[in-house]
Amino acid sequence: MSAEAADREAATSSRPCTPPQTCWFEFLLEESLLEKHLRKPCPDPAPVQLIVQFLEQASKPSVNEQNQVQPPPDNKRNRILKLLALKVAAHLKWDLDVLEKSLSVPVLNMLLNELLCISKVPPGTKHVDMDLATLPPTTAMAILLYNRWAIRTIVQSSFPVKQAKPGPPQLSVMNQMQQEKELTENILKVLKEQASDSILVLEAALKLNKDLYVHTMRTLDLLAMEPGVVNGETESSTVGLKIKTEEMQCQVCYDLGAAYFQQGSTNPAAYENAREKFFRTKELIAEIGSLSLHCTIDEKRLAGYCQACDVLVPSSDSTSQQLTPYSQVHICLRSGNYQEVTKIFAEDNLTFSLPVQFRQSVLRELFQKAQQGNEALDEICFKVCACNTVRDILEGRAIGVQFNQLFLRPNKEKIDFLLEVCSRSINLEKASDSLKGNMAAFLKNVCLGLEDLQYVFMISSHELFITLLKDEERKLLVDQMRKRSPRVNLCIKPVTSFYDIPASASVNIGQLEHQLILSVDPWRIRQILIELHGMTSERQFWTVSNKWEIPSVYSGVILGIKDNLTRDLVYILMAKGLHCSTVKDFSHAKQLFAACLELVTEFSPKLRQVMLNEMLLLDIHTHEAGTGQSGERPPSDLISRVRGYLEMRLPDIPLRQVIAEECVAFMLNWRENEYLTLQVPAFLLQSNPYVKLGQLLAATCKELPGPKESRRTAKDLWEVVVQICSVSSQHKRGNDGRISLIKQRESTLGIMYRSELLSFIKKLREPLVLTIILSLFVKLHNVREDIVNDITAEHISIWPSSIPNVCL
């Protein structure tokens, strides 16, 4: 073997072989290639990509001899390309859910128009004027597919869509996007003008009592043959994929229901039609069962539509027992019967039928009305909040700050209602041990938060409490409460607030401070601070422990809070949260940060953003220490939040540099090189050194496998690292071997200090990034041994002992 052949063999065997992607024109050259390609487990390109490529090539305009742009010619090549696109769609069984998800409106419009054309629907003919019952089955099905897509597209266009963040401006890409946007708007305009006709066509389809057929790859092949064959087999009533009448009607009913529901915003009477169609869809799904391969309905979305229709158009003969819980709640809110809402929520605690988000939205609505001056709703807000809290407890979630605020000054009525809700929310005979344990722990914690032993006695003597807790536990709890408040007598009238209890020498402030140091429960910390501030107003309790530390950039804002209790609570919650994060107790850190976020949201937008930033850092650490170690990519939401933090430009927000450092390392570790290279805003590169360094590393990673001309990025990276690692003087060895001092270079010339660079490197674990950095340091040491003395073995111990100098 020659040396060149050996080099080629080594180069090809050093990396895995990727099968070449099949090009679109290969399907023109080999007739049987399409079916072979589509039978593969994961064909590349995917079926929907093939549809786009085929139609794109078939619709390319031509240029004549006078250099004038002409419409695409109707030649054999283009006809075959369109037929190939139809065959791929037939392979997907004309599933509109799949096609709409992956194809743009213009492409799908072109595809379905080709289906109408090949199914012998005369161009320019109104579909509403055609009698579906007399048409060939495949022709009728093509008309139904087009009109179903038409009203689905109209409905989908009415939903708000979050605009994607544009990348760097590129004229050709922007022109293409603008053209596609204008084309989509023109198609939507036509579809909306024909919407009433499309609805009439689909309503007529519901009257058909025969099975229909949709084109398959085989029938499309027959259509491409001689006309005599076409007029025979392909027009018969038993050719193609059979669509049963019930399946067709089920899909049509669902799509009509969505169209009528969308019209209801301007025509309330349309909601009745929507209700009829959605409930008919449910009946047809029950008839079809799970045997259908063609009819796919999003049953969760259908259930949501039905519940909405129940609320908007309740049946006239429905009684309160027949109404869904959603309808009952909305009727009660409209009529102002708020007491009934609390009953519904308490009953729902047994069935868990109402989503937690819905229950929280009802509570928010009541809070807003209460804040607008309706004081009578204060009691209702507490009752609804209590019902929601019990639901949270039963499902294992933490108690919200909202309940703690409403329960800050308990009275007999509140405790009576809370005990009633707890009793109605659990069936002791059928409840699991975990449910019973959650309820017992909740009642026990409520007792620990109460200052008056009379209220503690009310709970501890209740039947539910006696059933869930053993005698020893109840006795120990009451004894603990007596020791905490020895001067309170069970016979005296309950006090309204802890602030009304005079400070007493018998109360041990030191003991409470000790509990404050040990506790990581946000609710308990708040209770202890209330007690301490009730005893003395002269102390600053954030100074109790010298180990409570918060970053200096935050301390000025937090210690500037005027209310002493709030200041102590915010400071301690943040300090404890940061400590828990440092020791990798992420669950407690998240609880502490969440409580602090909820607290500061009420009075300080600045501190709210600070807490959001710290929670982002916590989520990064949680992922890296958890599922990230097994190679599982972080959720897209976390990546979006990291980008949002890097791009944030809020004035006067105190920022910790370590968060930016962790965010850039996170993006590099999970190979978000495209974003760091092309999509990072320009202002970040000047203001954030870690982003600048991350961009250079990402660009080098991207261009490393490329040609030699692409190594400009590696050169830029080298220059930046040299500046960072340079000391105050620089020596150079001349050609004659003499060492000469060439010029002074301050370390501030670099974008960051060497210590910051080494700290950043420790956070990186992506192999290619580490290889590039090690290669830089190897060359740096060879060129300038005196400027890398502080790069110790400790910093490079995580790398392999031998990595080739791949980039320089």
Tab-separated table of all heavy atoms in Angstrom, residues 506-529:
chain	number	residue	atom	x	y	z
A	506	SER	N	-39.458	34.516	80.147
A	506	SER	CA	-39.514	33.058	80.083
A	506	SER	C	-39.374	32.542	78.651
A	506	SER	O	-39.195	31.354	78.437
A	506	SER	CB	-40.835	32.561	80.675
A	506	SER	OG	-41.915	33.075	79.917
A	507	VAL	N	-39.506	33.412	77.702
A	507	VAL	CA	-39.373	32.988	76.311
A	507	VAL	C	-37.903	33.050	75.935
A	507	VAL	O	-37.245	34.079	76.081
A	507	VAL	CB	-40.204	33.899	75.381
A	507	VAL	CG1	-40.029	33.454	73.933
A	507	VAL	CG2	-41.664	33.868	75.790
A	508	ASN	N	-37.392	31.975	75.436
A	508	ASN	CA	-35.958	31.850	75.167
A	508	ASN	C	-35.664	32.298	73.734
A	508	ASN	O	-35.881	31.555	72.776
A	508	ASN	CB	-35.536	30.393	75.380
A	508	ASN	CG	-34.026	30.236	75.370
A	508	ASN	OD1	-33.309	31.094	74.875
A	508	ASN	ND2	-33.567	29.134	75.915
A	509	ILE	N	-35.186	33.532	73.610
A	509	ILE	CA	-34.838	34.041	72.280
A	509	ILE	C	-33.701	33.223	71.670
A	509	ILE	O	-33.697	32.910	70.470
A	509	ILE	CB	-34.460	35.535	72.360
A	509	ILE	CG1	-35.679	36.367	72.736
A	509	ILE	CG2	-33.890	36.022	71.029
A	509	ILE	CD1	-35.412	37.848	72.845
A	510	GLY	N	-32.740	32.843	72.501
A	510	GLY	CA	-31.618	32.053	71.997
A	510	GLY	C	-32.058	30.741	71.377
A	510	GLY	O	-31.491	30.291	70.372
A	511	GLN	N	-33.084	30.117	71.983
A	511	GLN	CA	-33.572	28.847	71.440
A	511	GLN	C	-34.195	29.051	70.058
A	511	GLN	O	-33.980	28.256	69.136
A	511	GLN	CB	-34.604	28.246	72.404
A	511	GLN	CG	-35.093	26.863	71.978
A	511	GLN	CD	-36.111	26.299	72.950
A	511	GLN	OE1	-36.512	26.976	73.888
A	511	GLN	NE2	-36.519	25.074	72.730
A	512	LEU	N	-34.938	30.146	69.907
A	512	LEU	CA	-35.535	30.432	68.601
A	512	LEU	C	-34.462	30.742	67.561
A	512	LEU	O	-34.560	30.331	66.399
A	512	LEU	CB	-36.507	31.610	68.714
A	512	LEU	CG	-37.838	31.323	69.424
A	512	LEU	CD1	-38.647	32.595	69.559
A	512	LEU	CD2	-38.639	30.280	68.662
A	513	GLU	N	-33.425	31.462	67.961
A	513	GLU	CA	-32.341	31.762	67.034
A	513	GLU	C	-31.624	30.486	66.609
A	513	GLU	O	-31.203	30.344	65.452
A	513	GLU	CB	-31.348	32.726	67.684
A	513	GLU	CG	-31.902	34.132	67.858
A	513	GLU	CD	-30.903	35.069	68.516
A	513	GLU	OE1	-29.940	34.569	69.149
A	513	GLU	OE2	-31.091	36.291	68.397
A	514	HIS	N	-31.489	29.543	67.549
A	514	HIS	CA	-30.871	28.253	67.217
A	514	HIS	C	-31.731	27.523	66.176
A	514	HIS	O	-31.204	26.954	65.208
A	514	HIS	CB	-30.725	27.415	68.481
A	514	HIS	CG	-30.080	26.083	68.241
A	514	HIS	ND1	-28.759	25.947	67.864
A	514	HIS	CD2	-30.585	24.815	68.315
A	514	HIS	CE1	-28.476	24.660	67.711
A	514	HIS	NE2	-29.570	23.965	67.977
A	515	GLN	N	-33.064	27.538	66.371
A	515	GLN	CA	-33.950	26.910	65.390
A	515	GLN	C	-33.849	27.625	64.044
A	515	GLN	O	-33.904	26.997	62.975
A	515	GLN	CB	-35.398	26.954	65.884
A	515	GLN	CG	-35.666	26.085	67.106
A	515	GLN	CD	-37.110	26.178	67.555
A	515	GLN	OE1	-37.992	26.548	66.793
A	515	GLN	NE2	-37.343	25.863	68.825
A	516	LEU	N	-33.701	28.938	64.077
A	516	LEU	CA	-33.578	29.714	62.848
A	516	LEU	C	-32.341	29.295	62.059
A	516	LEU	O	-32.366	29.205	60.831
A	516	LEU	CB	-33.514	31.207	63.189
A	516	LEU	CG	-33.552	32.192	62.021
A	516	LEU	CD1	-34.879	32.096	61.281
A	516	LEU	CD2	-33.327	33.613	62.519
A	517	ILE	N	-31.259	29.028	62.754
A	517	ILE	CA	-30.014	28.619	62.092
A	517	ILE	C	-30.171	27.237	61.454
A	517	ILE	O	-29.696	26.995	60.339
A	517	ILE	CB	-28.846	28.615	63.100
A	517	ILE	CG1	-28.525	30.052	63.531
A	517	ILE	CG2	-27.605	27.949	62.515
A	517	ILE	CD1	-27.515	30.144	64.660
A	518	LEU	N	-30.873	26.330	62.124
A	518	LEU	CA	-30.960	24.941	61.665
A	518	LEU	C	-32.024	24.718	60.597
A	518	LEU	O	-31.905	23.808	59.774
A	518	LEU	CB	-31.230	24.008	62.851
A	518	LEU	CG	-30.144	23.939	63.929
A	518	LEU	CD1	-30.572	22.987	65.035
A	518	LEU	CD2	-28.815	23.481	63.324
A	519	SER	N	-33.091	25.525	60.593
A	519	SER	CA	-34.242	25.244	59.733
A	519	SER	C	-33.961	25.597	58.279
A	519	SER	O	-33.305	26.603	57.973
A	519	SER	CB	-35.457	26.030	60.223
A	519	SER	OG	-36.562	25.780	59.386
A	520	VAL	N	-34.446	24.750	57.357
A	520	VAL	CA	-34.403	25.055	55.922
A	520	VAL	C	-35.812	25.069	55.329
A	520	VAL	O	-35.982	25.053	54.113
A	520	VAL	CB	-33.529	24.037	55.156
A	520	VAL	CG1	-32.068	24.219	55.468
A	520	VAL	CG2	-33.971	22.598	55.437
A	521	ASP	N	-36.833	25.098	56.192
A	521	ASP	CA	-38.219	25.165	55.750
A	521	ASP	C	-38.628	26.642	55.686
A	521	ASP	O	-38.649	27.321	56.712
A	521	ASP	CB	-39.115	24.396	56.726
A	521	ASP	CG	-40.581	24.482	56.320
A	521	ASP	OD1	-40.868	24.840	55.166
A	521	ASP	OD2	-41.449	24.214	57.166
A	522	PRO	N	-38.958	27.187	54.502
A	522	PRO	CA	-39.275	28.615	54.388
A	522	PRO	C	-40.408	29.051	55.312
A	522	PRO	O	-40.356	30.129	55.904
A	522	PRO	CB	-39.661	28.778	52.913
A	522	PRO	CG	-39.051	27.615	52.217
A	522	PRO	CD	-39.021	26.500	53.209
A	523	TRP	N	-41.431	28.205	55.436
A	523	TRP	CA	-42.574	28.546	56.295
A	523	TRP	C	-42.146	28.647	57.753
A	523	TRP	O	-42.516	29.574	58.482
A	523	TRP	CB	-43.656	27.496	56.094
A	523	TRP	CG	-44.714	27.431	57.165
A	523	TRP	CD1	-44.992	26.372	57.977
A	523	TRP	CD2	-45.631	28.462	57.530
A	523	TRP	NE1	-46.026	26.676	58.813
A	523	TRP	CE2	-46.445	27.961	58.578
A	523	TRP	CE3	-45.847	29.765	57.104
A	523	TRP	CZ2	-47.448	28.693	59.177
A	523	TRP	CZ3	-46.860	30.508	57.703
A	523	TRP	CH2	-47.639	29.975	58.724
A	524	ARG	N	-41.328	27.701	58.195
A	524	ARG	CA	-40.869	27.707	59.589
A	524	ARG	C	-39.943	28.899	59.849
A	524	ARG	O	-40.010	29.529	60.907
A	524	ARG	CB	-40.147	26.386	59.882
A	524	ARG	CG	-39.677	26.249	61.325
A	524	ARG	CD	-40.851	26.190	62.276
A	524	ARG	NE	-40.418	26.240	63.665
A	524	ARG	CZ	-40.996	26.946	64.606
A	524	ARG	NH1	-42.052	27.693	64.316
A	524	ARG	NH2	-40.551	26.939	65.840
A	525	ILE	N	-39.092	29.221	58.899
A	525	ILE	CA	-38.205	30.384	59.050
A	525	ILE	C	-39.036	31.652	59.223
A	525	ILE	O	-38.737	32.498	60.081
A	525	ILE	CB	-37.281	30.502	57.818
A	525	ILE	CG1	-36.272	29.334	57.802
A	525	ILE	CG2	-36.536	31.838	57.804
A	525	ILE	CD1	-35.484	29.235	56.516
A	526	ARG	N	-40.070	31.791	58.424
A	526	ARG	CA	-40.924	32.983	58.538
A	526	ARG	C	-41.607	33.049	59.901
A	526	ARG	O	-41.667	34.101	60.552
A	526	ARG	CB	-41.987	32.962	57.428
A	526	ARG	CG	-42.787	34.246	57.302
A	526	ARG	CD	-43.963	34.051	56.378
A	526	ARG	NE	-44.942	33.172	56.976
A	526	ARG	CZ	-45.933	33.585	57.765
A	526	ARG	NH1	-46.051	34.861	58.054
A	526	ARG	NH2	-46.792	32.734	58.284
A	527	GLN	N	-42.099	31.900	60.380
A	527	GLN	CA	-42.768	31.870	61.680
A	527	GLN	C	-41.810	32.267	62.805
A	527	GLN	O	-42.154	33.042	63.708
A	527	GLN	CB	-43.323	30.464	61.952
A	527	GLN	CG	-44.564	30.129	61.150
A	527	GLN	CD	-45.733	31.018	61.547
A	527	GLN	OE1	-46.080	31.938	60.824
A	527	GLN	NE2	-46.324	30.766	62.682
A	528	ILE	N	-40.594	31.735	62.750
A	528	ILE	CA	-39.607	32.046	63.801
A	528	ILE	C	-39.282	33.542	63.798
A	528	ILE	O	-39.197	34.184	64.858
A	528	ILE	CB	-38.330	31.208	63.605
A	528	ILE	CG1	-38.638	29.710	63.813
A	528	ILE	CG2	-37.225	31.658	64.551
A	528	ILE	CD1	-37.493	28.794	63.438
A	529	LEU	N	-39.111	34.113	62.597
A	529	LEU	CA	-38.795	35.540	62.514
A	529	LEU	C	-39.940	36.402	63.041
A	529	LEU	O	-39.719	37.438	63.672
A	529	LEU	CB	-38.466	35.922	61.078
A	529	LEU	CG	-37.065	35.525	60.586
A	529	LEU	CD1	-36.914	35.786	59.098
A	529	LEU	CD2	-35.995	36.286	61.373
